[in-house]
Amino acid sequence: MFRSLSGRSLAGIAAILVSCVIAVMTLSPTALAEGIDPPLLTEAMLQQRLERVKLDQGQPVIDLSQVTIDLRGSSLGETGKPFADSFYRQLRPYLNRPSFPPQLDLTGSQIRGRFRIQPLSLNVPLYGQQLSLLLSENERKQLERDRRRRSQLQQLSSSLIPNSPENSGSNFQVRLFRGKLILDGTDFLDDVDWNNTFFLGGIEGRSTVFRGEVQASESRFSKQFKLTQVKFLRPVGFHNSIFFTNVNLNRVQFQGELDFTGATFELGGNFRNGQFKKLANFADSKFLETADFSETIWRSRGDFSKSKFIQSLYFTDSMILDNLSFRETQFLKSVNFREGSFQKVLDFSDAQFNSEAYLNISNLTFDANESQLIGNPGKIGRVLSIPTLQGNENLLINLVRNFRELEQIEDANQVNYKRIILVQRDLVKRVFASNLNTASRETLRQIGFSQAQIAEILQHRQEQVFSSLSEMLSLETVSLNTYTQVRDRLIAVPPITWKLRLYLALKLGFITLLLALSRYGTSFALVFGVGAIAIAYFASLFWLIDRYRRLRPQRIVPTVYESLCVLVTTGLIFMIGVIDIIQSSPQPGLTLACLGVVMGPIPGLLTLRMYQQGRYHDLMDVSYFVEDGAFRELRLMISRLPIMPRFPFFRDRFEPILCDRRWGWLNYYDFSLNNLLKFGFNDIRLRDRQLPGLIAALAWYQWGLGILYISLLFWTLSRTIPGLNLFLYF
């Protein structure tokens, strides 16, 4: 068949094929991806494209797309001079026209040599009152603000180094690049120089590749800064740059070192799905709006030291494979590490969290044995936030272990306290909330379901029980709004028997009691406050019973001085205890209510009954309390019982306490201290003869409470003192 074709036909076919290849190389945006270089831009071609400026939504566009721009010194133009000089000289007047600044479209182009933005920019003096008439009002405000900032920095530098040559002149120039850069699919083979430039038109690009270094220190970006799916293969520097616009660097790969030190993000920064393969340095940076680093991968060290976040910071679903530092960083809003994972160190040392700020680490994964969360002792544990127990059990265990290994016992206790609060909330729902798998029609209706939703729920649970509340969203009639309204009043668990419900109720009561009296073993101050009130209360009660016996027929009452001393000291101790409880207890009202239940009904009834029946036995003028006169020393009385032994030999050692001394009322505090803390100065007990049973019952009641209190005290000390803590847990 080919033999039948003439030579002229073959030549025509060849010409058509060559034309097609040239067209594909010129027009195809995927030419670079296929390894085919776009055609080389010449001076004549550049002039033609400058003369054919097109419009995009009323804005002129300089089309330099799908070409190879060779800016190397070895590349010569048609006149024999370097092409780079001609390129910048021809392009600059078009970018700085008084009319609307044009867009510079480099879509699909390949740029060889160092791409410098300064020769395409407009120089404006830093000082002086004259502003370029080419700028809009907003641009002039930003420039004036930048001038003031630079002037203040220069004045500060002059005061520190007065004879510095950098401070001798006042002709510093600010370079303004007024056009917008469009970099879709652009391939920069060498370095890019954007240093010390005010970009007024914005930068937008997708699938751009920067194979050389990108230098943009001291630059300003006024409008859009959006680079999506971009690759930076070499170091990138935005040192001390200011972004007046929202920074959008979504799905960007930083394969070289990244320098954002001292940068300011006035409208926040979006780094979602980014990858940081080497050092990413954001030290001294400032984010005035939300900073989003969600779903990022950090293969090397990240540094946010001394930075400031005015709004929320997101590291949701991020994978951190190396150290990430937030030393001396200020957080004014929330920090979110939900669903993230880290393998080495998250360092929040000396970080400052505002009163509204917190660190959400829900479902955060400790991904290696050397994973550590570091922060200031006693502070980092208070800002941690874990909203739910489900899915966070291992995280809470790892956090407690993490802080115990760092000997930050207070933070470990704070995390354990948060865990118990979550357990308490879960128990409350399991005891009192309705079960989605067993609730009746009427119960579901009262909760807020419609008849159609109730019918679908009943049909679903006949086929399969609900394993979680989120399964309701799979039903056609249940909307997200309905789920949000009813989720706090429902649980989804297998049917609960009455025995299990009773066990859960008892467990809930026990946990609530420990939280009220000791903050679940994490607050010695709270335990001290509870003990102080109990000691003062029972001491004053025993003093009343012993010293105020009857009015008739023989008056036996204390002196006015003694009564005043007891009332004043009891009031002071009560005040100290209440202040400790208010400052330390998560629920001061519940703590005081528990004390009221323990100290009110039984002691009150015993005392009331005692005065109702009266006392007319022998030895009425002798105190009910005796002391061991053989010793006066500080002693531990764990095995001591509140009543004196009956053996006559011991009666020779125990004598009634002295009531005619001005300090005699202190003995009742000593007895109360012995009963509750098993610790005191003198061995004071009740006598064994002519002792009303109600008084003995009251003493034994306090002694039994003392066993429980001393156990609570030792348990709390073991969790708050490192030595005892190590003995208990390891």
Side-chain angles (χ1 to χ4, degrees):
M1 179 178 66
F2 287 100
R3 292 178 182 177
S4 63
L5 295 175
S6 62
R8 184 174 298 176
S9 299
L10 291 174
I13 293 173
I16 293 173
L17 292 175
V18 171
S19 301
C20 292
V21 171
I22 293 175
V24 169
M25 293 175 61
T26 306
L27 300 177
S28 175
T30 60
L32 294 178
E34 297 174 357
I36 303 175
D37 293 340
L40 182 66
L41 180 67
T42 62
E43 294 180 5
M45 187 185 303
L46 174 61
Q47 188 62 38
Q48 292 176 1
R49 297 206 176 190
L50 291 176
E51 293 174 354
R52 295 200 306 255
V53 175
K54 60 183 181 179
L55 295 178
D56 181 13
Q57 297 180 354
Q59 188 173 9
V61 178
I62 298 176
D63 185 11
L64 295 183
S65 61
Q66 308 300 336
V67 295
T68 297
I69 304 175
D70 196 343
L71 302 178
R72 294 175 295 182
S74 58
S75 176
L76 302 179
E78 298 172 358
T79 60
K81 297 180 180 180
F83 174 76
D85 295 341
S86 176
F87 174 79
Y88 291 124
R89 185 178 64 255
Q90 294 185 54
L91 188 56
R92 178 175 177 176
Y94 288 87
L95 291 173
N96 295 308
R97 286 179 175 177
S99 59
F100 292 105
Q103 300 180 9
L104 181 57
D105 187 1
L106 299 176
T107 300
S109 294
Q110 186 180 84
I111 301 178
R112 300 179 180 274
R114 187 180 184 86
F115 180 74
R116 299 169 58 235
I117 206 69
Q118 292 85 355
L120 302 176
S121 304
L122 180 68
N123 290 338
V124 176
L126 175 63
Y127 301 100
Q129 299 298 324
Q130 295 182 353
L131 291 175
S132 175
L133 298 177
L134 303 176
L135 307 181
S136 65
E137 182 180 357
N138 187 37
E139 293 169 348
R140 287 197 296 270
K141 289 181 180 179
Q142 291 180 358
L143 179 60
E144 184 63 28
R145 175 182 174 185
D146 191 47
R147 285 176 168 177
R148 288 195 300 267
R149 180 179 179 274
R150 288 177 180 268
S151 177
Q152 292 171 359
L153 291 176
Q154 191 172 37
Q155 291 175 8
L156 177 62
S157 178
S158 299
S159 64
L160 296 175
I161 311 176
N163 298 324
S164 174
E166 297 179 359
N167 304 322
S168 59
S170 60
N171 296 323
F172 189 86
Q173 300 287 321
V174 176
R175 301 182 181 92
L176 302 179
F177 183 77
R178 302 183 63 241
K180 178 180 179 180
L181 282 178
I182 301 177
L183 306 177
D184 290 344
T186 308
D187 192 355
F188 292 91
L189 300 180
D190 294 292
D191 295 347
V192 173
D193 184 2
W194 291 343
N195 284 325
N196 194 26
T197 304
F198 206 127
F199 290 83
L200 298 177
I203 298 176
E204 182 178 353
R206 186 180 184 87
S207 303
T208 311
V209 179
F210 294 89
R211 302 183 186 274
E213 294 186 12
V214 177
Q215 301 171 0
S217 299
E218 301 286 346
S219 292
R220 310 291 184 265
F221 300 88
S222 175
K223 294 184 179 179
Q224 187 177 32
F225 189 88
K226 182 178 181 180
L227 296 175
T228 306
Q229 295 181 341
V230 172
K231 293 182 180 180
F232 293 94
L233 306 184
R234 299 288 301 279
V236 180
F238 286 89
H239 174 68
N240 281 347
S241 294
I242 298 179
F243 298 88
F244 297 102
T245 181
N246 183 34
V247 176
N248 193 333
L249 292 173
N250 192 11
R251 299 183 182 180
V252 174
Q253 295 184 22
F254 296 98
Q255 299 187 14
E257 292 188 359
L258 178 62
D259 183 10
F260 271 99
T261 56
T264 301
F265 302 83
E266 295 210 348
L267 293 182
N270 178 10
F271 293 83
R272 291 181 65 93
N273 300 104
Q275 295 188 29
F276 304 88
K277 294 190 176 181
K278 292 189 178 179
L279 171 64
N281 195 345
F282 288 84
D284 293 304
S285 59
K286 182 184 292 185
F287 291 81
L288 275 66
E289 295 294 337
T290 301
D292 192 354
F293 291 87
S294 300
E295 302 179 38
T296 51
I297 300 177
W298 302 72
R299 302 187 183 277
S300 187
R301 188 166 60 91
D303 189 3
F304 288 86
S305 300
K306 299 181 180 180
S307 297
K308 187 173 184 179
F309 296 90
I310 306 299
Q311 297 296 327
S312 299
L313 169 63
Y314 289 92
F315 271 85
T316 309
D317 292 305
S318 294
M319 181 184 298
I320 304 168
L321 306 179
D322 208 326
N323 296 344
L324 189 61
S325 175
F326 293 93
R327 285 180 174 268
E328 301 182 48
T329 301
Q330 297 182 43
F331 300 102
L332 274 67
K333 296 291 183 179
S334 62
V335 185
N336 199 324
F337 276 84
R338 183 173 52 85
E339 301 286 349
S341 64
F342 71 105
Q343 292 189 356
K344 292 191 177 178
V345 176
L346 277 181
D347 190 356
F348 289 90
S349 300
D350 298 316
Q352 300 179 22
F353 289 85
N354 194 32
S355 58
E356 298 180 3
Y358 59 89
L359 181 57
N360 186 353
I361 56 172
S362 178
N363 298 106
L364 179 66
T365 303
F366 284 68
D367 222 9
N369 292 331
E370 59 269 22
S371 299
Q372 282 188 331
L373 178 63
I374 297 178
N376 285 12
K379 295 182 179 180
I380 185 65
R382 297 184 181 275
V383 299
L384 297 180
S385 173
I386 303 173
T388 59
L389 180 64
Q390 186 176 3
N392 290 303
E393 291 89 347
N394 289 333
L395 169 62
L396 291 164
I397 293 173
N398 288 330
L399 281 173
V400 172
R401 183 183 296 115
N402 170 83
F403 289 126
R404 292 196 186 282
E405 290 177 353
L406 295 172
E407 296 187 2
Q408 297 180 207
I409 305 303
E410 184 176 351
D411 296 311
N413 288 337
Q414 186 67 30
V415 172
N416 203 20
Y417 168 71
K418 294 177 185 292
R419 182 184 69 85
I420 293 301
I421 290 295
L422 295 176
V423 171
Q424 183 189 38
R425 292 176 184 173
D426 184 67
L427 287 174
V428 168
K429 290 192 66 175
R430 296 185 67 181
V431 172
F432 298 104
S434 300
N435 191 350
L436 186 61
N437 292 313
T438 58
S440 63
R441 281 180 172 271
E442 181 61 22
T443 302
L444 293 175
R445 187 191 64 79
Q446 293 176 357
I447 290 174
F449 289 106
S450 65
Q451 293 297 331
Q453 292 170 344
I454 294 174
E456 191 172 8
I457 290 173
L458 295 178
Q459 182 179 358
H460 182 277
R461 74 188 191 187
Q462 286 179 356
E463 301 172 356
Q464 183 182 0
V465 297
F466 290 93
S467 59
S468 65
L469 290 178
S470 59
E471 287 187 15
M472 287 193 299
L473 295 174
S474 62
L475 304 179
E476 295 182 359
T477 58
V478 178
S479 63
L480 180 60
N481 186 31
T482 303
Y483 170 77
T484 305
Q485 293 177 355
V486 304
R487 63 182 178 182
D488 293 333
R489 290 175 288 173
L490 281 173
I491 58 173
V493 295
I496 301 177
T497 62
W498 70 270
K499 292 182 179 179
L500 179 59
R501 190 179 294 273
L502 178 61
Y503 167 76
L504 294 176
L506 293 175
K507 184 178 180 181
L508 174 61
F510 181 68
I511 289 177
T512 303
L513 188 63
L514 290 179
L515 285 171
L517 297 179
S518 67
R519 207 167 178 266
Y520 204 76
T522 61
S523 177
F524 173 76
L526 178 57
V527 178
F528 174 81
V530 170
I533 292 177
I535 290 172
Y537 172 77
F538 280 102
S540 60
L541 190 61
F542 285 125
W543 169 84
L544 178 68
I545 293 172
D546 191 42
R547 303 289 291 133
Y548 193 92
R549 301 193 183 188
R550 68 186 185 188
L551 295 175
R552 293 184 301 272
Q554 181 182 357
R555 184 182 179 90
I556 303 177
V557 295
T559 64
V560 176
Y561 169 78
E562 186 176 350
S563 302
L564 186 62
C565 289
V566 172
L567 291 176
V568 170
T569 54
T570 301
L572 288 175
I573 296 175
F574 257 82
M575 185 181 301
I576 294 173
V578 170
I579 291 174
D580 277 345
I581 290 174
I582 293 175
Q583 292 181 343
S584 306
S585 176
Q587 296 177 309
L590 181 60
T591 303
L592 294 175
C594 291
L595 284 175
V597 170
V598 171
M599 298 187 306
I602 295 179
L605 289 175
L606 293 176
T607 305
L608 180 63
R609 181 59 182 161
M610 188 183 308
Y611 281 102
Q612 282 180 345
Q613 67 183 15
R615 284 173 280 180
Y616 302 96
H617 50 266
D618 295 335
L619 301 177
M620 278 293 295
D621 56 344
V622 180
S623 174
Y624 295 121
F625 297 90
V626 295
E627 64 176 343
D628 185 357
F631 299 98
R632 286 190 178 274
E633 61 184 10
L634 193 65
R635 64 181 73 179
L636 191 64
M637 306 177 186
I638 297 294
S639 59
R640 164 198 168 282
L641 297 179
I643 299 180
M644 182 186 73
R646 291 180 56 206
F647 189 61
F649 174 76
F650 287 102
R651 290 177 181 169
D652 296 336
R653 293 171 52 188
F654 284 89
E655 295 184 359
I657 62 173
L658 300 175
C659 297
D660 58 346
R661 303 293 192 271
R662 296 176 65 87
W663 47 264
W665 52 274
L666 291 174
N667 288 314
Y668 301 100
Y669 284 99
D670 198 5
F671 178 75
S672 182
L673 191 70
N674 291 342
N675 264 0
L676 199 68
L677 282 179
K678 318 304 179 189
F679 173 84
F681 299 92
N682 297 316
D683 186 5
I684 299 179
R685 311 190 192 193
L686 290 174
R687 70 190 189 193
D688 64 329
R689 292 181 297 176
Q690 298 298 330
L691 177 68
L694 294 176
I695 297 179
L698 187 60
W700 279 106
Y701 178 75
Q702 190 197 14
W703 187 87
L705 292 179
I707 294 295
L708 299 177
Y709 180 79
I710 200 70
S711 301
L712 179 66
L713 179 63
F714 283 161
W715 180 59
T716 303
L717 290 175
S718 71
R719 296 167 66 85
T720 54
I721 298 178
L724 291 176
N725 180 74
L726 293 175
F727 175 77
L728 182 62
Y729 289 97
F730 295 97

